[in-house]
């Protein structure tokens, strides 16, 4: 498996905006989403730098059609899984039970969440 670059928190949130915006991911729309959805207000040049770094790291490509659009090269769900696995491997030495225990610590689960966890456990047994 190819090793991806680790993203800074700002790059990760910027990437999340691109994923959420889909085919409407322009720098202007990313700037607005960062401010409105995440309370992260940056100068335009700063956001352009985040987008440039994401492109250099192989997370984005661009295409121009009047304005520049940012297109993800990395699937969001795959990246989430990859980062979750890295987190469990690094912080919990691969111990999934310990990681889940920490995540659930003091948290009330809905019936739906318990069913989803059971289904995931069953699937991992197959």
């Amino acid at each position: 498996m190819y090793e991806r670059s680790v993203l800074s928190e700002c790059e990760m949130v910027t990437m999340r905006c691109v994923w959420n915006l889909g085919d409407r991911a322009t720098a202007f729309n990313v700037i607005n989403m960062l401010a409105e959805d995440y309370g992260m207000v940056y100068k335009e040049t700063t956001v352009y730098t985040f987008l440039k770094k994401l492109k250099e790291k192989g997370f984005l490509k661009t295409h121009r059609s009047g304005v520049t659009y940012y297109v993800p090269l990395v699937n969001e769900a795959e990246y989430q899984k990859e980062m979750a696995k890295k987190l469990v491997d690094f912080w919990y030495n691969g111990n999934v039970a310990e990681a889940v225990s920490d995540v659930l610590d003091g948290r009330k689960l809905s019936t739906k969440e318990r069913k989803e966890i059971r289904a995931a456990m069953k699937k991992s047994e197959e």
Side-chain angles (χ1 to χ4, degrees):
M1 177 184 214
Y2 130 82
E3 190 72 21
R4 279 190 228 284
S5 298
V6 175
L7 299 180
S8 70
E9 182 178 349
C10 296
E11 290 169 341
M12 201 173 334
V13 177
T14 302
M15 194 64 212
R16 183 139 219 210
C17 290
V18 173
W19 281 317
N20 290 341
L21 287 164
D23 61 0
R24 299 174 299 118
T26 63
F28 177 78
N29 290 340
V30 170
I31 291 165
N32 287 335
M33 185 176 272
L34 283 168
E36 292 171 12
D37 293 4
Y38 299 98
M40 300 171 93
V41 180
Y42 296 107
K43 292 181 182 178
E44 284 182 31
T45 54
T46 303
V47 176
Y48 280 110
T49 299
F50 295 155
L51 292 165
K52 180 182 171 203
K53 285 185 178 186
L54 287 165
K55 188 175 176 182
E56 289 169 356
K57 290 181 176 184
F59 282 81
L60 296 174
K61 69 177 182 177
T62 56
H63 77 83
R64 220 167 143 68
S65 179
V67 296
T68 300
Y69 290 90
Y70 295 88
V71 180
L73 294 173
V74 175
N75 177 284
E76 182 179 15
E78 288 174 18
Y79 187 70
Q80 286 174 344
K81 286 180 187 177
E82 187 178 320
M83 292 299 103
K85 183 175 178 350
K86 281 184 178 187
L87 179 132
V88 171
D89 288 347
F90 182 80
W91 291 108
Y92 298 95
N93 294 315
N95 187 326
V96 175
E98 190 178 333
V100 170
S101 176
D102 275 358
V103 169
L104 297 178
D105 188 24
R107 182 175 174 167
K108 290 258 185 198
L109 294 177
S110 68
T111 302
K112 181 183 177 199
E113 288 173 318
R114 284 194 299 276
K115 284 181 182 177
E116 289 172 349
I117 290 169
R118 284 187 195 104
M121 287 172 38
K122 243 183 189 172
K123 186 177 175 184
S124 74
E125 293 171 355
E126 296 172 355

